[in-house]
Amino acid sequence: MSTHSPWAIVWLRHSLRLHDNPMIERCIHEGYRPIVVYITPSRELESDRWGFTPLGPHRKRFLMESLIDLRSQLNDHGVKLLYLEGDVIEELSRVCNALGAPESVKLYADREYAYFDQKIEAEVEAAFDVTWFHAQLLTNPDDLPFSVTATPHIFTKFRGKIEKYVTIETSAEEAQWSKLSQQEAALSASLQEYTKALPCDAKDTLPKDNRQAFDFCGGETASLARLKDYLWNTEYVTTYKETRNGLIGPDYSTKFSAYLSLGCLSPKLVYHEIKRFEEEVVANQSTYWVIFEVLWREFFRYIAWQHGRHLFWPGGIQHKPVKLRTNHQFEAWRKGETGQPFVDANMRELNATGFMSNRGRQNVASYLVHDLGQDWRAGAAYFEHQLLDYDPCSNYGNWNYIAGVGNDPRAGRKFNVAGQAERYDAQGEYIHLWNE
Ligand code: FAD
C-alpha cells in the first residue's frame, strides 16, 4: 500500500473486536487506511421517560473496558480508535470533515436491527458513502428461505428453517494488517481533539460485588478467554442443558451474553467453535443447546427488524389493545423490596452486578407484569439501564413475550414465582445470598 492510501472510517456499532470483523477487513482490502470510530449516541446518555439513563453504570464500565481492550489491539497495528458521544450524524460528519470532503470519505459499518438504530442507518446512508455488514448475525439475511417481512412468528418454526436450509458462514478473514504502513498512523490535531478520553483502566470506576455470578470484564481478550474456558478448559459446555437453570456462580451458563451484545465475541465464532468441539471432543444435547439459545438471540433480531417500532409499543408486536400503568409497586420491584424473596434476590443481584440469570429474568418480569400489574415497558427500560448484556432486540423481544404481546403461542408467560423458587432454589441458597 502506498504511503498515500486514503483514510476511511470504520464505524463499529456493536462489533468491538478484531476477529470476524468484515468492516475492518474490507476497508484494508479495498486500499484504505481505517480510522475506527465508536459513538455513544446522545439518547443513551439522557434520561428516558421513566427517568433512567439507558447506558447505566454497569454497562458503561463494561463498554469502557471493551473499548480500552480494542484500542490496545488496534494500536498494535498502528490504527487509531476514536471514542465519541453525541448525535451520530454530527459526530460522523466532524470526523469526515477532518479527513477530507464528507462526500469522498468512505464508511464501513455494521448493521443493527432495532427500529431506532435502523432509523439512524437511513440517515447515515443519505449523508455518506457507506458499506454495511451483517456482522452481528449468525446468518446472512440473503441466505434465508424467507424474507425478513415473512419471518416465522414461532421460534420453533424459525429454528427449523434455519437448521434445515441455512449454512452458517465461517468468520470473516483476518484483516491484512501488513498492508498498512506505520508511517501513515498520524492523525490531524483537530481530529485528536474531538476524541473523548477513554480512561486507562475502567476497573476502579465501580466496585465489584464478590457475590457476582461471573467476573465480567469487558473486551475481546476476556471474551475469547471465556469461550476457551467454557468449551476447551472446563468442558462445561457438555453439561449446559442440565445446569442452565442455575442461579449462582460462573459455570451454570456460558456468560457469553454481554460479550455477544457488544460484539466483543462474534456469534459465528461461538457457533464454529462449538461445532469444532463437537467434532474433536463430544457432541451431545448440551453442546447443541448452546447453539439453540444463540438462535433465540438471532430470532429476536429478525423479529425486531420485521416489526420495527411496534416492539416498543404498549401492545407490542401483536398490536394488542392494552392499558398500562405504573405506581409505587414498580419502585419496590426495582429496588428488590417487594417482599417476594425470590424476586427481591434477583433484583438485588441485578442492581449490584448488572447481571441476572435467565431463570431470574423470566420470573421477575412475570412478577412485575402479571402479579403487580405494572407496565412492562418500565421493566424493560429498567433492564436496559442495568443490564451489562442489554440489547434492544433480546430485551424487548423477551419482555414482549412475557407480557403476552409478543411471539408466545400461549397468551403470555405467567410464572408461579414461589413454585419456581422452590424448584430452582430448593435450599434457599440464592435467596440467602442476595437477601442477607
Ligand atoms: P446462556 O444460557 O449461556 O445462553 C447462551 C447465549 O444464548 C446467551 O449468551 C445469549 O446470547 C443467548 N440467549 C440465551 N437465552 C436467550 C433468550 N431468551 N433470548 C435471547 N438470547 C438468548 N439477553 C441479552 O443478551 N440481552 C438482553 O437485553 C436480554 N434481556 C432479557 C430480558 C428478559 C425479560 C428475559 C427473560 C431474557 C433476556 N435475555 C437477554 C436473555 C437471557 O436471559 C440472557 O441472554 C442470558 O441469561 C445471558 O446469560 P448467558 O450468556 O450465560 O446465557
Side-chain angles (χ1 to χ4, degrees):
M1 181 178 273
S2 87
T3 48
H4 299 294
S5 54
W7 292 101
I9 296 174
V10 172
W11 174 34
L12 296 184
R13 301 170 83 195
H14 288 112
S15 298
L16 303 184
R17 58 176 185 261
L18 297 199
H19 74 272
D20 191 21
N21 191 318
M23 289 71 68
I24 295 180
E25 194 278 330
R26 180 78 68 84
C27 173
I28 296 176
H29 182 79
E30 290 185 351
Y32 295 96
R33 172 162 206 98
I35 175 147
V36 177
V37 174
Y38 180 86
I39 306 170
T40 298
S42 321
R43 182 200 154 261
E44 292 193 27
L45 303 167
E46 292 158 4
S47 278
D48 63 17
R49 62 190 296 176
W50 315 99
F52 307 127
T53 317
L55 182 63
H58 293 300
R59 195 163 65 261
K60 187 158 188 188
R61 178 200 39 90
F62 194 81
L63 170 66
M64 288 302 144
E65 287 174 353
S66 302
L67 290 170
I68 289 166
D69 185 57
L70 182 68
R71 177 182 61 186
S72 150
Q73 301 201 58
L74 288 170
N75 275 349
D76 290 346
H77 298 291
V79 172
K80 296 279 180 225
L81 170 69
L82 300 186
Y83 172 64
L84 305 163
E85 292 173 356
D87 177 88
V88 167
I89 301 291
E90 278 175 24
E91 295 304 320
L92 286 176
S93 302
R94 276 171 17 143
V95 179
C96 278
N97 285 331
L99 294 177
E103 60 283 357
S104 68
V105 178
K106 259 196 88 67
L107 217 86
Y108 299 83
D110 49 329
R111 281 200 186 277
E112 301 269 9
Y113 305 94
Y115 175 72
F116 301 102
D117 297 314
Q118 293 204 327
K119 218 171 138 219
I120 292 176
E121 276 171 31
E123 291 168 27
V124 168
E125 221 159 73
F128 307 99
D129 175 9
V130 56
T131 309
W132 298 107
F133 297 83
H134 289 287
Q136 300 175 28
L137 291 177
L138 193 56
T139 55
N140 180 350
D142 296 334
D143 294 345
L144 300 187
F146 46 82
S147 65
V148 172
T149 50
T151 300
H153 267 201
I154 310 293
F155 172 69
T156 312
K157 284 195 183 150
F158 172 84
R159 179 175 58 85
K161 294 207 175 201
I162 301 287
E163 289 177 348
K164 191 164 177 193
Y165 298 111
V166 179
T167 305
I168 307 300
E169 287 172 1
T170 50
S171 299
E173 287 185 19
E174 207 193 321
Q176 289 180 286
W177 300 106
S178 57
K179 279 187 157 190
L180 300 174
S181 78
Q182 293 297 315
Q183 290 92 318
E184 286 178 298
L187 274 184
S188 72
S190 62
L191 200 48
Q192 297 272 24
E193 273 169 27
Y194 297 154
T195 308
K196 297 249 177 217
L198 278 180
C200 294
D201 187 344
K203 284 195 177 58
D204 298 329
T205 54
L206 253 193
K208 287 192 180 170
D209 191 305
N210 59 16
R211 295 169 293 177
Q212 65 184 349
F214 180 69
D215 186 13
F216 290 101
C217 177
E220 177 177 21
T221 307
S223 81
L224 295 178
R226 175 60 182 169
L227 180 66
K228 187 169 172 223
D229 211 42
Y230 193 76
L231 270 60
W232 302 98
N233 297 348
T234 63
E235 300 189 0
Y236 284 134
V237 65
T238 60
T239 52
Y240 172 78
K241 193 148 185 252
E242 293 89 63
T243 60
R244 74 200 161 98
N245 284 309
L247 301 163
I248 302 174
D251 307 327
Y252 66 82
S253 66
T254 65
K255 310 297 186 297
F256 293 164
S257 56
Y259 298 119
L260 284 167
S261 294
L262 274 189
C264 305
L265 188 59
S266 135
K268 285 188 188 131
L269 183 69
V270 172
Y271 177 89
H272 288 294
E273 276 297 283
I274 292 176
K275 288 288 165 198
R276 187 163 76 87
F277 183 90
E278 288 182 332
E279 268 174 33
E280 295 180 18
V281 184
V282 65
N284 63 16
Q285 284 204 344
S286 284
T287 54
Y288 165 71
W289 217 261
V290 176
I291 293 175
F292 175 99
E293 295 296 349
V294 173
L295 283 175
W296 268 106
R297 174 185 180 274
E298 192 83 355
F299 175 60
F300 282 130
R301 275 163 173 69
Y302 282 105
I303 291 297
W305 192 357
Q306 181 184 31
H307 292 278
R309 66 178 85 189
H310 292 109
L311 186 68
F312 305 92
W313 281 14
I317 62 171
Q318 288 185 23
H319 309 200
K320 255 191 181 173
V322 285
K323 279 205 176 127
L324 301 174
R325 55 153 197 169
T326 49
N327 59 25
H328 64 281
Q329 289 183 302
F330 174 70
E331 278 304 292
W333 175 85
R334 176 174 91 73
K335 291 179 180 156
E337 295 173 358
T338 64
Q340 203 314 319
F342 191 56
V343 170
D344 291 349
N346 275 290
M347 292 308 292
R348 287 175 193 186
E349 181 185 4
L350 176 69
N351 293 340
T353 70
F355 188 78
M356 189 194 292
S357 68
N358 187 54
R359 183 56 44 192
R361 294 181 205 202
Q362 290 178 321
N363 275 279
V364 301
S366 166
Y367 192 76
L368 182 76
V369 174
H370 301 296
D371 292 84
L372 302 180
Q374 304 292 298
D375 187 335
W376 67 266
R377 294 171 307 157
Y382 190 63
F383 268 32
E384 176 168 0
H385 168 69
Q386 287 290 20
L387 280 177
L388 284 170
D389 63 25
Y390 168 75
D391 84 67
C393 310
S394 295
N395 190 54
Y396 283 84
N398 273 291
W399 275 96
N400 262 237
Y401 196 88
I402 286 180
V405 297
N407 303 83
D408 196 351
R410 299 191 234 161
R413 297 264 157 165
K414 180 173 188 325
F415 286 73
N416 171 352
V417 176
Q420 290 265 308
E422 261 173 45
R423 184 164 169 200
Y424 295 105
D425 189 30
Q427 309 304 320
E429 274 177 83
Y430 179 74
I431 287 179
H432 180 69
L433 182 67
W434 288 101
N435 285 337
E436 65 189 11

